[in-house]
Amino acid sequence: MASPQLQNGHPSTPPTTDTANKPADSQPKADPEAPLTSQQDDGLSKRPRDARLIHTVLQNLGVQNYQERVPLQLLDFAYRYTSSVLSDSLRLSAEGYTSGAQDKRRAAAGDDGSNITVTALRQAIASRQGYAFEAALPKEFMLEQAQERNRVALPKVERGYGVQLPEEKYCLTGVGWGLKEEWDSEEEEDEPRVNGTAGAAPSAAKQEDEDMGGVDGTGEEEGDEEGEGKMEDIFGEGGDGDEAMKED
Amino acid sequence: MSAQQPPSRTASVGPPNAGGMNTPHGQGPPPPPGPPGQQSQNLNQIVLEYLSKKGYSRTEAMLRRESANVDAEGRPVPSRAEDTGGRKYFTSFDLTLQWIDNVLDIYKPELKRLLWPLFVYSFIDMLSEHFMRDSQEFFNAYRNHFEAEHENDVRALAPMSLPEHVQTNNVAQLYRNNKYRLTMSNMAFMTLTQFLESKDREGGATIISIMSNNMDIRNVDRAAAGSERSLARLLGKQNGDQDVPAEDEGIPGHHPGSANLDRNAPSVLSKLSLGPMPMEQDLMDDVKAELQDHDTSNPPAPGQNSLVDEFEHKIKREPMDDAPSREALPLPPSTSRDVAMEVQKIREYRDRFHIDGRSSGVGPGLSVTMFTFHNTFDSVNCIEFSGDNSLAAVGTAESYIRVWSLDNRPLTSPTDPADFQPSSSRRLIGHAGPVYALSFAPSVAVPEPQTNGHANGTSESHDSKPRYLLSSSADSTIRLWSLDTWSNLVVYKSHSSPVWDVRFGPFGHYFVSCSSDRTARLWSTPQIAPLRLFVGHDADVETVAWHPNGAYVFTASGGADRTVRMWNIQQGSAVRLFTGHTGNCTAIACANSGKMLASADDRGEILLWDLATGRLSKRMRGHGRGGIWSLDWSVESTVLVSAGADGTVRVWDVAPNKDAGGKVIGEGGAGNKVDGSGVSGGASGGAKGKTKKDVVVSPDQISAFPTKKSPVYKVRFTNMNLVVAGGAYLPS
């Protein structure tokens, strides 16, 4: 439980230092002798250039041993980071947000002939900074929030069965309405039941509402306790929702 | 005389004036010796000769003294360490280091604790005073003294090379904005001040200013501080490597255990209600009636208590004043399922395998059932077993959850299509990031009823199976899954970063989660917004645990914080704060008795805390590096099991060490045993060949169960005191 946290947690922190210089490093220094292959590579020296770069960066940070997938993860991150920053800045400069500095220009990767300006690049980086690398909100702010939230007493618990669920609109238990074929196919195999569910569901739900205070999701539990006949109806309805949702 | 004085005065006063501007370059390359310097030197000589010839001895002495601080070139020799710029930190730190090395042995352990804050504050001060090169040199010269204990902090501080970095570096800010608290006995502190005053000019003043600006040094009387600071303890410490921070040392600056961070807070701890949650009256009556039925239908075997007796015994406690009130913590009213579960709990409680700690001389012979997952390709993030031991769930790095039934029963769902062949495992798909933690709703295995006490007995045994599963993920959501339909019911969103851990409360309904956004949050299943925010940690909150009475939660964090905190659910306030870990906390677990807490870190240490007094009970070592990922307590709270990355399950004796005196000395000597030699069968597989050499196992370890290259993700005691562990086989 913890190691994956660390393994997966780390890429979110080290890359900040890593990629901060990584795009800067790797792009201007395209010359092949830059990768510093002199580092001992355990004889596995037929790695791609970027992997060796990562290796040296890691070693520079004092990481001597790492799993094979660490460079891959970092490379993936670096690629995604640079590509998204570039595409953001492409968009930014295309939409004319950064018309100020036209002097320094760099040719884009030849997408549609438009150029990325340095300001656009800066803006794109700054706009990611906000959510990609700032791990937490300031503590003072959170303390205020906590004080406000913690002043409210714990809500009373209403009588119900099984685990209580939030209001139906917040649950994923509803019926997915978006899928026409699903309904059609079911109509073919078993027409009256669909009509039954469509018509009977509200009434059934209403009856349950009285029992359990409008918590529709618990209809499933109730089905268990009330008897077999009704359960299928209810589960049939829920099942459609689930399948629909998966397809969504 | 009046005629002679003016030249002498210019001669002696002149150069210091000129040199005043030179001070920062005191160590720089010497400028070419100028003619004025030569002249003044000669002039001095001449005047001195003249004065002595004339017999103006007092004037001569005055002149000699005033010109003593000037070197051959007429520049002043810095006599005070403060005048040497960045170098003053070198000299003063070196001075202190040397002195502490040579100081009387009984003061050494206490004074050594001073070095780390001195090092950090010197480094930060140097940087912010723009001595960039000196600061790098300083850091590299002395960092090796602290790599062992403060590995993470050293690593965090290492990249700082500009004054701006002080503003942006988390760790540096933490040290800057808070005072480092350190407790010393009176005698040690007096020795220190005497030394610093005597070396005032050679760097003592620098140290004193760091201490007064950035540190909060508390003096305690050695006799009054009890066994922790007793001489015997100190003497015992010096031959072991027991160099660990005291409980109140460090940034939080709190009284041991107290969560009140006010500097002038009284050292009184808030009162806790650690007793079990009182049962609802209705539930208690129902359970009693049910137990009576059981007792009459199958009477207890000879030597066995009747279930009702057992129940009375378990429920009845003399002082009920330490129990939390039910009104403060609204819980759903009990159902027939709760009655069945309570009844079963009592039966298991009576029929369990008793573990009485180590008091009888030999440790209990525990058994561990290990479930190993193969072909996982290291994608397993967490493993969880349900309370009735019928299901095992695995959260993967590939964003899905997979649930197995442990008895190979097919996992069916009423929504399955007619031609669907249910297998013994199911996938739950929904998360958009790696799944970090899982938690089953509480459940107890109720066997098929063999009594006629119940008409609908079958439905009830069916009823007791776990029906809900919570999962937390890197997509910063928590999801509630139904295990009846194997579908996602609710998504709980509020955290702003990956959610590291989520735990159902002991009675269901509530659950608590913790996240990389440095908060922990309390939820209840019917509310989509959190009910409480637990704010206070300065780094990721790595793991959470519940108090068995459901009124408190515990959080532990890693990074620069490394504290364990205890929170009151009702007010959402911190009631205890424990420091002492030297690594990132990776697991915590509260004893079933509600009196003790165990926390473990990724350096392989387990710390036991006494909740009521807020003090450290003991430290236990034995695990290799890489983290202890799971802890659990036996039913009687006499034995702790731990499991972790080193592929072992270890069993620990939790009884506090007897009074410090003799025991600790024994610990430093022959009491220590190295892993593999003292434990029968402890010679583990090749997986930890490296750790075997350097890990010292503390004598509290009862036994160790090694695996073959399988990190153990989860370990838990069942209600009958069987240990269940889960791991994934990872061939390298």
Side-chain angles (χ1 to χ4, degrees), chain B residues 208-236:
Chain B
I208 287 179
S209 87
I210 289 181
M211 276 167 48
S212 59
N213 289 339
N214 297 319
M215 293 175 63
D216 174 23
I217 295 195
R218 306 277 172 129
N219 298 336
V220 292
D221 188 24
R222 195 189 289 281
S227 63
E228 195 205 343
R229 287 183 182 275
S230 69
L231 281 176
R233 175 75 178 251
L234 289 177
L235 290 170

PDB file of all heavy atoms in Angstrom, chain B residues 208-236:
ATOM      1  N   ILE B 208      25.047  31.132  19.824  1.00  0.00           N
ATOM      2  CA  ILE B 208      24.060  31.656  20.765  1.00  0.00           C
ATOM      3  C   ILE B 208      22.964  32.394  20.019  1.00  0.00           C
ATOM      4  O   ILE B 208      21.773  32.266  20.336  1.00  0.00           O
ATOM      5  CB  ILE B 208      24.739  32.572  21.802  1.00  0.00           C
ATOM      6  CG1 ILE B 208      25.547  31.705  22.766  1.00  0.00           C
ATOM      7  CG2 ILE B 208      23.697  33.382  22.571  1.00  0.00           C
ATOM      8  CD1 ILE B 208      26.282  32.473  23.805  1.00  0.00           C
ATOM      9  N   SER B 209      23.351  33.128  18.985  1.00  0.00           N
ATOM     10  CA  SER B 209      22.307  33.874  18.281  1.00  0.00           C
ATOM     11  C   SER B 209      21.394  32.927  17.516  1.00  0.00           C
ATOM     12  O   SER B 209      20.184  33.145  17.459  1.00  0.00           O
ATOM     13  CB  SER B 209      22.921  34.918  17.360  1.00  0.00           C
ATOM     14  OG  SER B 209      23.203  34.358  16.102  1.00  0.00           O
ATOM     15  N   ILE B 210      21.933  31.863  16.961  1.00  0.00           N
ATOM     16  CA  ILE B 210      21.059  30.888  16.293  1.00  0.00           C
ATOM     17  C   ILE B 210      20.104  30.284  17.297  1.00  0.00           C
ATOM     18  O   ILE B 210      18.909  30.139  17.062  1.00  0.00           O
ATOM     19  CB  ILE B 210      21.886  29.780  15.622  1.00  0.00           C
ATOM     20  CG1 ILE B 210      22.609  30.333  14.400  1.00  0.00           C
ATOM     21  CG2 ILE B 210      20.996  28.623  15.199  1.00  0.00           C
ATOM     22  CD1 ILE B 210      23.428  29.306  13.678  1.00  0.00           C
ATOM     23  N   MET B 211      20.668  29.965  18.466  1.00  0.00           N
ATOM     24  CA  MET B 211      19.832  29.305  19.468  1.00  0.00           C
ATOM     25  C   MET B 211      18.718  30.224  19.935  1.00  0.00           C
ATOM     26  O   MET B 211      17.598  29.788  20.175  1.00  0.00           O
ATOM     27  CB  MET B 211      20.678  28.840  20.647  1.00  0.00           C
ATOM     28  CG  MET B 211      21.315  27.483  20.384  1.00  0.00           C
ATOM     29  SD  MET B 211      22.596  27.033  21.561  1.00  0.00           S
ATOM     30  CE  MET B 211      21.843  27.384  23.095  1.00  0.00           C
ATOM     31  N   SER B 212      19.039  31.511  20.067  1.00  0.00           N
ATOM     32  CA  SER B 212      17.988  32.383  20.587  1.00  0.00           C
ATOM     33  C   SER B 212      17.009  32.787  19.500  1.00  0.00           C
ATOM     34  O   SER B 212      15.841  33.008  19.778  1.00  0.00           O
ATOM     35  CB  SER B 212      18.611  33.623  21.229  1.00  0.00           C
ATOM     36  OG  SER B 212      19.381  34.293  20.269  1.00  0.00           O
ATOM     37  N   ASN B 213      17.481  32.850  18.259  1.00  0.00           N
ATOM     38  CA  ASN B 213      16.557  33.278  17.209  1.00  0.00           C
ATOM     39  C   ASN B 213      15.673  32.151  16.709  1.00  0.00           C
ATOM     40  O   ASN B 213      14.522  32.372  16.377  1.00  0.00           O
ATOM     41  CB  ASN B 213      17.334  33.834  16.004  1.00  0.00           C
ATOM     42  CG  ASN B 213      17.959  35.148  16.324  1.00  0.00           C
ATOM     43  OD1 ASN B 213      17.525  35.826  17.249  1.00  0.00           O
ATOM     44  ND2 ASN B 213      18.988  35.499  15.579  1.00  0.00           N
ATOM     45  N   ASN B 214      16.244  30.978  16.605  1.00  0.00           N
ATOM     46  CA  ASN B 214      15.547  29.932  15.875  1.00  0.00           C
ATOM     47  C   ASN B 214      15.170  28.714  16.706  1.00  0.00           C
ATOM     48  O   ASN B 214      14.545  27.812  16.195  1.00  0.00           O
ATOM     49  CB  ASN B 214      16.408  29.444  14.706  1.00  0.00           C
ATOM     50  CG  ASN B 214      16.663  30.525  13.706  1.00  0.00           C
ATOM     51  OD1 ASN B 214      15.762  31.287  13.400  1.00  0.00           O
ATOM     52  ND2 ASN B 214      17.883  30.612  13.232  1.00  0.00           N
ATOM     53  N   MET B 215      15.592  28.699  17.942  1.00  0.00           N
ATOM     54  CA  MET B 215      15.329  27.478  18.686  1.00  0.00           C
ATOM     55  C   MET B 215      14.621  27.792  19.983  1.00  0.00           C
ATOM     56  O   MET B 215      14.690  28.897  20.500  1.00  0.00           O
ATOM     57  CB  MET B 215      16.631  26.726  18.957  1.00  0.00           C
ATOM     58  CG  MET B 215      17.233  26.192  17.672  1.00  0.00           C
ATOM     59  SD  MET B 215      18.814  25.448  17.907  1.00  0.00           S
ATOM     60  CE  MET B 215      18.413  24.107  18.965  1.00  0.00           C
ATOM     61  N   ASP B 216      13.957  26.792  20.449  1.00  0.00           N
ATOM     62  CA  ASP B 216      13.196  26.923  21.675  1.00  0.00           C
ATOM     63  C   ASP B 216      13.729  25.841  22.596  1.00  0.00           C
ATOM     64  O   ASP B 216      13.369  24.682  22.465  1.00  0.00           O
ATOM     65  CB  ASP B 216      11.717  26.719  21.333  1.00  0.00           C
ATOM     66  CG  ASP B 216      10.852  26.681  22.557  1.00  0.00           C
ATOM     67  OD1 ASP B 216      11.293  27.232  23.579  1.00  0.00           O
ATOM     68  OD2 ASP B 216       9.752  26.123  22.489  1.00  0.00           O
ATOM     69  N   ILE B 217      14.640  26.250  23.453  1.00  0.00           N
ATOM     70  CA  ILE B 217      15.310  25.235  24.266  1.00  0.00           C
ATOM     71  C   ILE B 217      14.670  25.175  25.643  1.00  0.00           C
ATOM     72  O   ILE B 217      14.534  26.197  26.316  1.00  0.00           O
ATOM     73  CB  ILE B 217      16.811  25.526  24.364  1.00  0.00           C
ATOM     74  CG1 ILE B 217      17.387  25.387  22.962  1.00  0.00           C
ATOM     75  CG2 ILE B 217      17.482  24.586  25.333  1.00  0.00           C
ATOM     76  CD1 ILE B 217      18.856  25.298  22.896  1.00  0.00           C
ATOM     77  N   ARG B 218      14.234  23.996  25.987  1.00  0.00           N
ATOM     78  CA  ARG B 218      13.572  23.813  27.280  1.00  0.00           C
ATOM     79  C   ARG B 218      14.526  23.087  28.201  1.00  0.00           C
ATOM     80  O   ARG B 218      15.195  22.143  27.794  1.00  0.00           O
ATOM     81  CB  ARG B 218      12.308  22.965  27.117  1.00  0.00           C
ATOM     82  CG  ARG B 218      11.354  23.488  26.095  1.00  0.00           C
ATOM     83  CD  ARG B 218      10.493  24.554  26.712  1.00  0.00           C
ATOM     84  NE  ARG B 218       9.681  25.214  25.702  1.00  0.00           N
ATOM     85  CZ  ARG B 218       8.368  25.377  25.820  1.00  0.00           C
ATOM     86  NH1 ARG B 218       7.743  24.910  26.872  1.00  0.00           N
ATOM     87  NH2 ARG B 218       7.706  26.021  24.882  1.00  0.00           N
ATOM     88  N   ASN B 219      14.542  23.542  29.439  1.00  0.00           N
ATOM     89  CA  ASN B 219      15.385  22.858  30.410  1.00  0.00           C
ATOM     90  C   ASN B 219      14.525  21.981  31.295  1.00  0.00           C
ATOM     91  O   ASN B 219      13.461  22.397  31.720  1.00  0.00           O
ATOM     92  CB  ASN B 219      16.099  23.870  31.299  1.00  0.00           C
ATOM     93  CG  ASN B 219      17.007  24.735  30.480  1.00  0.00           C
ATOM     94  OD1 ASN B 219      17.437  24.323  29.408  1.00  0.00           O
ATOM     95  ND2 ASN B 219      17.262  25.922  30.968  1.00  0.00           N
ATOM     96  N   VAL B 220      15.003  20.827  31.543  1.00  0.00           N
ATOM     97  CA  VAL B 220      14.295  19.987  32.502  1.00  0.00           C
ATOM     98  C   VAL B 220      15.279  19.527  33.556  1.00  0.00           C
ATOM     99  O   VAL B 220      16.486  19.431  33.303  1.00  0.00           O
ATOM    100  CB  VAL B 220      13.655  18.752  31.845  1.00  0.00           C
ATOM    101  CG1 VAL B 220      12.537  19.158  30.934  1.00  0.00           C
ATOM    102  CG2 VAL B 220      14.694  17.959  31.083  1.00  0.00           C
ATOM    103  N   ASP B 221      14.730  19.278  34.686  1.00  0.00           N
ATOM    104  CA  ASP B 221      15.534  18.720  35.752  1.00  0.00           C
ATOM    105  C   ASP B 221      15.639  17.224  35.514  1.00  0.00           C
ATOM    106  O   ASP B 221      14.638  16.561  35.271  1.00  0.00           O
ATOM    107  CB  ASP B 221      14.856  19.018  37.086  1.00  0.00           C
ATOM    108  CG  ASP B 221      15.757  18.639  38.239  1.00  0.00           C
ATOM    109  OD1 ASP B 221      16.986  18.598  38.004  1.00  0.00           O
ATOM    110  OD2 ASP B 221      15.238  18.390  39.324  1.00  0.00           O
ATOM    111  N   ARG B 222      16.844  16.720  35.545  1.00  0.00           N
ATOM    112  CA  ARG B 222      17.024  15.317  35.203  1.00  0.00           C
ATOM    113  C   ARG B 222      16.244  14.400  36.138  1.00  0.00           C
ATOM    114  O   ARG B 222      15.630  13.425  35.713  1.00  0.00           O
ATOM    115  CB  ARG B 222      18.503  14.952  35.251  1.00  0.00           C
ATOM    116  CG  ARG B 222      18.799  13.640  34.579  1.00  0.00           C
ATOM    117  CD  ARG B 222      20.204  13.227  34.833  1.00  0.00           C
ATOM    118  NE  ARG B 222      21.170  14.049  34.118  1.00  0.00           N
ATOM    119  CZ  ARG B 222      21.460  13.893  32.821  1.00  0.00           C
ATOM    120  NH1 ARG B 222      20.847  12.980  32.139  1.00  0.00           N
ATOM    121  NH2 ARG B 222      22.333  14.637  32.240  1.00  0.00           N
ATOM    122  N   ALA B 223      16.253  14.777  37.393  1.00  0.00           N
ATOM    123  CA  ALA B 223      15.556  13.920  38.351  1.00  0.00           C
ATOM    124  C   ALA B 223      14.051  13.972  38.120  1.00  0.00           C
ATOM    125  O   ALA B 223      13.356  12.959  38.215  1.00  0.00           O
ATOM    126  CB  ALA B 223      15.878  14.363  39.772  1.00  0.00           C
ATOM    127  N   ALA B 224      13.572  15.168  37.752  1.00  0.00           N
ATOM    128  CA  ALA B 224      12.129  15.305  37.614  1.00  0.00           C
ATOM    129  C   ALA B 224      11.620  14.691  36.332  1.00  0.00           C
ATOM    130  O   ALA B 224      10.460  14.330  36.221  1.00  0.00           O
ATOM    131  CB  ALA B 224      11.748  16.789  37.653  1.00  0.00           C
ATOM    132  N   ALA B 225      12.495  14.585  35.344  1.00  0.00           N
ATOM    133  CA  ALA B 225      12.022  14.134  34.037  1.00  0.00           C
ATOM    134  C   ALA B 225      11.780  12.642  33.988  1.00  0.00           C
ATOM    135  O   ALA B 225      11.304  12.135  32.985  1.00  0.00           O
ATOM    136  CB  ALA B 225      13.027  14.515  32.957  1.00  0.00           C
ATOM    137  N   GLY B 226      12.113  11.950  35.058  1.00  0.00           N
ATOM    138  CA  GLY B 226      11.771  10.539  35.109  1.00  0.00           C
ATOM    139  C   GLY B 226      12.762   9.669  34.361  1.00  0.00           C
ATOM    140  O   GLY B 226      13.869  10.082  34.032  1.00  0.00           O
ATOM    141  N   SER B 227      12.302   8.466  34.111  1.00  0.00           N
ATOM    142  CA  SER B 227      13.240   7.444  33.644  1.00  0.00           C
ATOM    143  C   SER B 227      13.795   7.762  32.265  1.00  0.00           C
ATOM    144  O   SER B 227      14.863   7.308  31.905  1.00  0.00           O
ATOM    145  CB  SER B 227      12.541   6.101  33.603  1.00  0.00           C
ATOM    146  OG  SER B 227      11.492   6.159  32.660  1.00  0.00           O
ATOM    147  N   GLU B 228      13.070   8.568  31.519  1.00  0.00           N
ATOM    148  CA  GLU B 228      13.498   8.781  30.141  1.00  0.00           C
ATOM    149  C   GLU B 228      14.872   9.458  30.079  1.00  0.00           C
ATOM    150  O   GLU B 228      15.640   9.247  29.152  1.00  0.00           O
ATOM    151  CB  GLU B 228      12.459   9.640  29.418  1.00  0.00           C
ATOM    152  CG  GLU B 228      12.632   9.602  27.939  1.00  0.00           C
ATOM    153  CD  GLU B 228      12.063  10.857  27.304  1.00  0.00           C
ATOM    154  OE1 GLU B 228      11.271  11.557  27.969  1.00  0.00           O
ATOM    155  OE2 GLU B 228      12.432  11.143  26.177  1.00  0.00           O
ATOM    156  N   ARG B 229      15.133  10.320  31.063  1.00  0.00           N
ATOM    157  CA  ARG B 229      16.399  11.023  31.057  1.00  0.00           C
ATOM    158  C   ARG B 229      17.307  10.566  32.184  1.00  0.00           C
ATOM    159  O   ARG B 229      18.243  11.269  32.547  1.00  0.00           O
ATOM    160  CB  ARG B 229      16.147  12.524  31.173  1.00  0.00           C
ATOM    161  CG  ARG B 229      15.608  13.055  29.895  1.00  0.00           C
ATOM    162  CD  ARG B 229      15.408  14.525  29.925  1.00  0.00           C
ATOM    163  NE  ARG B 229      14.843  14.939  28.660  1.00  0.00           N
ATOM    164  CZ  ARG B 229      15.562  15.214  27.583  1.00  0.00           C
ATOM    165  NH1 ARG B 229      16.855  15.168  27.627  1.00  0.00           N
ATOM    166  NH2 ARG B 229      14.981  15.540  26.460  1.00  0.00           N
ATOM    167  N   SER B 230      17.015   9.441  32.735  1.00  0.00           N
ATOM    168  CA  SER B 230      17.836   8.998  33.850  1.00  0.00           C
ATOM    169  C   SER B 230      19.248   8.682  33.377  1.00  0.00           C
ATOM    170  O   SER B 230      19.491   8.418  32.208  1.00  0.00           O
ATOM    171  CB  SER B 230      17.213   7.760  34.471  1.00  0.00           C
ATOM    172  OG  SER B 230      17.325   6.688  33.566  1.00  0.00           O
ATOM    173  N   LEU B 231      20.154   8.745  34.329  1.00  0.00           N
ATOM    174  CA  LEU B 231      21.554   8.499  33.981  1.00  0.00           C
ATOM    175  C   LEU B 231      21.747   7.117  33.380  1.00  0.00           C
ATOM    176  O   LEU B 231      22.457   6.938  32.402  1.00  0.00           O
ATOM    177  CB  LEU B 231      22.414   8.650  35.229  1.00  0.00           C
ATOM    178  CG  LEU B 231      22.721  10.089  35.613  1.00  0.00           C
ATOM    179  CD1 LEU B 231      23.485  10.120  36.898  1.00  0.00           C
ATOM    180  CD2 LEU B 231      23.504  10.767  34.510  1.00  0.00           C
ATOM    181  N   ALA B 232      21.048   6.152  33.963  1.00  0.00           N
ATOM    182  CA  ALA B 232      21.224   4.792  33.458  1.00  0.00           C
ATOM    183  C   ALA B 232      20.804   4.703  32.003  1.00  0.00           C
ATOM    184  O   ALA B 232      21.467   4.070  31.183  1.00  0.00           O
ATOM    185  CB  ALA B 232      20.393   3.832  34.302  1.00  0.00           C
ATOM    186  N   ARG B 233      19.730   5.377  31.709  1.00  0.00           N
ATOM    187  CA  ARG B 233      19.242   5.367  30.346  1.00  0.00           C
ATOM    188  C   ARG B 233      20.268   5.992  29.403  1.00  0.00           C
ATOM    189  O   ARG B 233      20.564   5.481  28.331  1.00  0.00           O
ATOM    190  CB  ARG B 233      17.927   6.144  30.310  1.00  0.00           C
ATOM    191  CG  ARG B 233      17.328   6.335  28.949  1.00  0.00           C
ATOM    192  CD  ARG B 233      16.721   5.040  28.497  1.00  0.00           C
ATOM    193  NE  ARG B 233      16.082   5.217  27.196  1.00  0.00           N
ATOM    194  CZ  ARG B 233      14.778   5.223  27.017  1.00  0.00           C
ATOM    195  NH1 ARG B 233      13.983   5.054  28.043  1.00  0.00           N
ATOM    196  NH2 ARG B 233      14.272   5.366  25.817  1.00  0.00           N
ATOM    197  N   LEU B 234      20.812   7.116  29.858  1.00  0.00           N
ATOM    198  CA  LEU B 234      21.786   7.802  29.018  1.00  0.00           C
ATOM    199  C   LEU B 234      23.019   6.947  28.804  1.00  0.00           C
ATOM    200  O   LEU B 234      23.561   6.858  27.703  1.00  0.00           O
ATOM    201  CB  LEU B 234      22.175   9.129  29.645  1.00  0.00           C
ATOM    202  CG  LEU B 234      21.087  10.190  29.613  1.00  0.00           C
ATOM    203  CD1 LEU B 234      21.553  11.433  30.315  1.00  0.00           C
ATOM    204  CD2 LEU B 234      20.722  10.505  28.180  1.00  0.00           C
ATOM    205  N   LEU B 235      23.453   6.303  29.883  1.00  0.00           N
ATOM    206  CA  LEU B 235      24.633   5.458  29.749  1.00  0.00           C
ATOM    207  C   LEU B 235      24.340   4.295  28.824  1.00  0.00           C
ATOM    208  O   LEU B 235      25.187   3.880  28.041  1.00  0.00           O
ATOM    209  CB  LEU B 235      25.064   4.954  31.117  1.00  0.00           C
ATOM    210  CG  LEU B 235      25.653   6.044  32.010  1.00  0.00           C
ATOM    211  CD1 LEU B 235      25.843   5.535  33.415  1.00  0.00           C
ATOM    212  CD2 LEU B 235      26.964   6.536  31.431  1.00  0.00           C
ATOM    213  N   GLY B 236      23.135   3.779  28.932  1.00  0.00           N
ATOM    214  CA  GLY B 236      22.772   2.669  28.058  1.00  0.00           C
ATOM    215  C   GLY B 236      22.738   3.086  26.612  1.00  0.00           C
ATOM    216  O   GLY B 236      23.030   2.317  25.719  1.00  0.00           O
TER     217      GLY B 236
END
